[in-house]
């Protein structure tokens, strides 16, 4: 078991979840056109998805090595 990989994985998972929560609270307050808001939401979802998948992969890799 690699503690460093698990720690980095958990921090990536927390960062991804934090981005999703912050985006959900922040986007209704923004005063931007609807198409720009949907683009921002898509970009945030892609970045958060990458962070979540990377974090999950690091946690699994750390547990099974």
């Amino acid at each position: 078991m690699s503690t460093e990989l698990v720690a980095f994985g958990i921090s990536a998972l927390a960062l991804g979840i934090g981005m999703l929560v912050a985006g959900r609270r922040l986007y209704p307050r923004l005063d931007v056109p609807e198409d720009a808001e949907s683009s921002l939401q898509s970009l945030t979802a892609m970045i958060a998805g990458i962070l979540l998948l990377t974090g999950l992969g690091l946690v699994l890799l750390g547990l099974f090595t």
Side-chain angles (χ1 to χ4, degrees):
M1 183 171 140
S2 176
T3 309
E4 292 88 10
L5 287 176
V6 173
F8 283 127
I10 290 173
S11 64
L13 284 169
L15 187 61
I17 292 170
M19 281 188 65
L20 289 174
V21 170
R24 180 173 277 262
R25 292 183 183 261
L26 179 67
Y27 290 140
R29 296 180 188 164
L30 292 177
D31 188 29
V32 294
E34 187 175 328
D35 58 338
E37 185 177 346
S38 66
S39 295
L40 284 172
Q41 287 176 347
S42 297
L43 181 63
T44 303
M46 285 191 300
I47 293 171
I50 290 170
L51 282 170
L52 291 172
L53 289 175
T54 302
L56 183 62
L58 286 173
V59 168
L60 291 176
L61 187 65
L63 289 176
F64 294 117
T65 57

